[in-house]
Amino acid sequence: GAVVSQHPSWVICKSGTSVKIECRSLDFQATTMFWYRQFPKQSLMLMATSNEGSKATYEQGVEKDKFLINHASLTLSTLTVTSAHPEDSSFYICSARRQTHQETQYFGPGTRLLVL
Amino acid sequence: QKEVEQNSGPLSVPEGAIASLNCTYSDRGSQSFFWYRQYSGKSPELIMSIYSNGDKEDGRFTAQLNKASQYVSLLIRDSQPSDSATYLCAVNIGTGGFKTIFGAGTRLFVKA
């Protein structure tokens, strides 16, 4: 299979704090991981593409200084939401592509962030 | 024009019927197409991938691709209440098909 995990699954934090979300590919190596955000009743919005060993590519309108992405290994990417505000409350989902069969993305279970 | 378009629904079908979900895309060069199912509050899970024109069957699911018409569909036979979810159409675009664009999704309700 192709299993992707995320941690934590839920996080509640105070406004102004930073939150780190981890995305791991458990049984395959992923050269590329993607970070999405999904607001209630809306579709997935790609935030950034994370490539192992290089800087992430951010989509238009996504602040790279606010959403820090690190892809330090072939199985781990992290997203840090810095100085979180209530409007950052959302469902954050990562996905990963295998080194082989790169057409398909496999999604993690998502992290629900609530900023008070 | 959106890059991947789906009817948002909701699409309501009775249990046992065939549910037909449709998707159109704008990038003629796209080669890889996917259907994902997303239950409320959960992340998407891959149902089908299709790369060639024609039909591809997997159990109760059949994906259909027509590149000339830039059209992808998903048929669900013998629909069950557990199939009630949002179905996302996804298309790989760009050089090397590197970027995946998702449609807004179609909400399906299967009535028992």
Side-chain angles (χ1 to χ4, degrees), chain B residues 17-73:
Chain B
I18 296 175
S20 178
L21 305 164
N22 304 315
C23 172
T24 58
Y25 60 95
S26 60
D27 185 354
R28 282 197 168 275
S30 297
Q31 298 294 325
S32 304
F33 308 87
F34 309 90
W35 283 99
Y36 288 85
R37 176 174 62 196
Q38 186 175 25
Y39 291 111
S40 181
K42 302 294 185 182
S43 68
E45 57 178 317
L46 180 67
I47 299 176
M48 297 276 287
S49 59
I50 186 167
Y51 308 103
S52 304
N53 280 328
D55 295 359
K56 179 180 178 182
E57 187 175 318
D58 184 359
R60 295 186 296 113
F61 299 98
T62 299
Q64 298 175 319
L65 174 61
N66 184 326
K67 291 184 182 179
S69 300
Q70 295 173 245
Y71 176 88
V72 192
S73 67

Side-chain angles (χ1 to χ4, degrees), chain A residues 38-110:
Chain A
Q38 187 175 37
F39 293 107
K41 299 190 186 302
Q42 294 187 23
S43 189
L44 295 169
M45 295 299 297
L46 179 65
M47 299 175 66
T49 302
S50 169
N51 294 296
E52 187 264 338
S54 64
K55 290 184 179 180
T57 303
Y58 290 82
E59 293 300 301
Q60 192 172 10
V62 178
E63 300 175 55
K64 62 180 181 180
D65 294 329
K66 180 169 182 63
F67 298 100
L68 301 178
I69 292 172
N70 183 275
H71 194 154
S73 76
L74 285 173
T75 59
L76 174 63
S77 176
T78 60
L79 168 68
T80 301
V81 183
T82 62
S83 187
H85 291 282
E87 58 266 28
D88 297 323
S89 299
S90 188
F91 191 37
Y92 291 86
I93 311 172
C94 74
S95 70
R97 276 183 165 160
R98 297 175 182 269
Q99 278 188 305
T100 57
H101 302 290
Q102 291 187 7
E103 304 86 10
T104 306
Q105 292 186 41
Y106 298 93
F107 284 88

